[in-house]
Amino acid sequence: MISVEEARQRVLERIEPLPAERVDLLASLGRVLAEDVVSDIDVAPFDNSAMDGYAVRAADVADASEERPVRLAVVEHIPAGGFPSVSIGPGEAARIMTGAPIPDGADAIVMVERTREEDDGRTALILAPAQAGDHIRRRGEDVRAGEVVLERGKVIGPAAIGLMAAVGCARPLVHRCPRVAIVATGDELVEVEEFPGPGKIRNSNSYSLAAQVLSAGGVPHVLGVARDDVASTTALLSRASEFDLMVTTGGVSMGDYDVVRDVLERLGEMDFWKVAMRPGAPQTHGTIDGTPFFGLPGNPTSTMVGFELFVRPVIRRMLGYRALDRPRHAVTLAHDVRKKPDRRYFLRARVERGPEGGYVARLSGPQSSAVLTSMHRANALLVLPEGASSFPEGSVVDCIRLDMEEGTP
Ligand code: AMP
Ligand code: MG
């Protein structure tokens, strides 16, 4: 048996970000850039007005006030998307909208709230002074042409999507999403639509795993159920090379019909098969035709915890993410917790903010690895180290937040 750290390290050792592909701009949300994005223009592309109002010569209105308004002749109207056709001379102004280009001659904007109009809009009364530069957004204020606006390796969020749109990057280059094969094993499994007969249960793990793959950013391919024999298991596992990653559930312990390990050794190479943890010690890892392979245990929570600890970071690295681990933090136990000293335990828990700051944890239900309801209620896994067995109320332990994304505080 190896430690959780060693298993994690060995699993990640050979994983690299997948090759890049171009995708539509919006489809790049949440993906990782595989090249720098360079702007083809200045943003803003031209000096423009930050307000609806009048473009003026600041010198003309230096002494303007409510009591002594300055009268200016309005020579044209410039809407957003329009372009000025005349320059502004002394005693003149242009009515201008937010985002419209500043006409030559003008060097300040007076917002409409500080003006009145006369002669059907042909004259503007300026009621407040302006200084050169007021309410003018300068060309290149945000981005300069040729500047790198987003670096490779950055995770694309909504603001990055907006930036790429502004600088003309319609098809960003991002790392490909891993295709993950999911294989369930077991003669007892029936489909979700079926009512299980005697001795049968529904195949829930293919679904929880596919959902975990999706929420990690991978593309699940549910290959179906291998029966508990070598031929049926070989038929599905030999398809590994069609995918970037293969995950099986069940059939990896010491049972008479647990054939996954044998088949893995026949088709590929096994790296390790047991990790000193609970739930789910038989976390098998290896490769088949070069494709990383994970033989997760069959119990519904063991399979999910194994995925969280070992498969999710692999999917993230393939996607190009640098942050591979969910946030961890200290929590205070709200009640006594006991465990066997042998292995590291990952206990399903509800973690909430405590009354005096900090975080408080309660187990979210029974901890049998066959129980999924407590996993559903959990927002964290308490990490209880090997060696210790008794954690009285008030003990401070570590937790992994299942409800927080990697790379967040
Ligand atoms: P195994 O590791 O194959 O011995 O399976 C351990 C336990 O998990 C057994 O009780 C199985 O019936 C159950 N199990 C295995 N595969 C699945 C699955 N795909 N969905 C739900 N339960 C499963
Ligand atoms: Mg089985």
Side-chain angles (χ1 to χ4, degrees):
M1 256 194 313
I2 61 173
S3 70
V4 174
E5 282 80 20
E6 188 180 347
R8 187 184 174 287
Q9 196 203 326
R10 276 159 70 163
V11 158
L12 285 167
E13 224 157 44
R14 277 169 289 179
I15 307 297
E16 304 250 339
L18 294 178
E21 62 182 358
R22 289 205 181 273
V23 298
D24 286 345
L25 183 50
L26 197 51
S28 74
L29 182 67
R31 306 280 290 274
V32 179
L33 272 172
E35 69 178 2
D36 292 348
V37 174
V38 176
S39 180
D40 64 346
I41 49 162
D42 290 332
V43 183
F46 46 86
D47 291 356
N48 69 92
S49 177
M51 290 285 174
D52 299 323
Y54 291 90
V56 301
R57 300 165 74 99
D60 283 351
V61 301
D63 300 322
S65 66
E66 293 271 356
E67 299 74 35
R68 305 189 56 191
V70 172
R71 286 187 148 68
L72 299 173
V74 178
V75 294
E76 73 174 328
H77 285 217
I78 315 167
F83 203 79
S85 57
V86 292
S87 63
I88 305 301
E92 294 179 342
R95 185 147 173 98
I96 193 166
M97 299 299 120
T98 304
I102 307 292
D104 285 346
D107 60 2
I109 303 296
V110 179
M111 64 169 96
V112 72
E113 292 86 340
R114 304 221 169 119
T115 67
R116 278 203 308 272
E117 48 174 57
E118 279 181 357
D119 309 334
D120 274 342
R122 286 192 299 272
T123 301
L125 270 61
I126 307 298
L127 310 176
Q131 290 191 349
D134 277 0
H135 306 307
I136 294 178
R137 298 188 291 217
R138 292 293 172 197
R139 170 179 185 160
E141 178 179 286
D142 193 4
V143 175
R144 298 256 169 212
E147 185 183 326
V148 173
V149 289
L150 294 164
E151 284 142 37
R152 90 184 256 198
K154 283 270 185 281
V155 180
I156 298 170
I161 298 263
L163 257 177
M164 288 192 283
V167 305
C169 178
R171 306 235 332 139
L173 190 72
V174 294
H175 291 288
R176 200 161 62 65
C177 292
R179 297 157 46 85
V180 184
I182 295 171
V183 176
T185 69
D187 288 342
E188 73 278 32
L189 300 180
V190 300
E191 278 312 310
V192 181
E193 299 77 15
E194 289 176 53
F195 189 84
K200 308 288 184 191
I201 59 164
R202 291 196 176 101
N203 170 13
S204 60
N205 293 355
S206 286
Y207 289 89
S208 51
L209 284 172
Q212 284 183 298
V213 168
L214 273 178
S215 54
V219 182
H221 293 261
V222 178
L223 300 192
V225 178
R227 295 302 151 195
D228 285 321
D229 60 61
V230 170
S232 172
T233 306
T234 304
L236 289 180
L237 267 56
S238 58
R239 294 185 56 190
S241 65
E242 297 170 35
F243 304 94
D244 299 302
L245 194 62
M246 179 175 264
V247 178
T248 67
T249 171
V252 283
S253 356
M254 299 296 280
D256 293 345
Y257 304 95
D258 288 341
V259 299
V260 169
R261 200 149 48 96
D262 288 352
V263 173
L264 168 61
E265 282 179 318
R266 249 181 254 191
L267 291 178
E269 279 164 39
M270 196 184 74
D271 183 8
F272 58 80
W273 82 280
K274 266 195 133 178
V275 180
M277 60 183 275
R278 210 183 283 270
Q283 303 281 346
T284 307
H285 172 61
T287 53
I288 297 175
D289 297 327
T291 298
F293 175 90
F294 290 87
L296 303 177
N299 275 305
T301 294
S302 307
T303 217
M304 289 194 73
V305 170
F307 185 97
E308 266 297 325
L309 296 181
F310 306 117
V311 186
R312 187 175 162 102
V314 165
I315 291 176
R316 289 186 62 89
R317 181 164 280 175
M318 286 179 164
L319 281 162
Y321 287 107
R322 289 183 195 135
L324 303 182
D325 294 308
R326 299 253 201 203
R328 282 179 173 236
H329 62 74
V331 282
T332 304
L333 296 181
H335 53 75
D336 297 351
V337 176
R338 296 193 64 80
K339 70 184 259 297
K340 290 192 197 136
D342 56 349
R343 302 178 189 168
R344 187 172 315 178
Y345 276 42
F346 295 92
L347 298 184
R348 287 147 262 172
R350 276 307 305 170
V351 167
E352 266 143 32
R353 281 210 177 269
E356 292 118 41
Y359 290 94
V360 175
R362 288 177 181 77
L363 295 185
S364 59
Q367 298 290 319
S368 154
S369 57
V371 170
L372 205 47
T373 47
S374 54
M375 185 66 177
H376 160 65
R377 278 193 291 268
N379 66 343
L381 295 172
L382 303 183
V383 185
L384 303 186
E386 38 279 83
S389 63
S390 169
F391 298 84
E393 176 184 342
S395 306
V396 175
V397 302
D398 217 15
C399 80
I400 300 171
R401 289 298 290 262
L402 300 174
D403 56 351
M404 291 180 179
E405 293 272 308
E406 292 81 352
T408 53

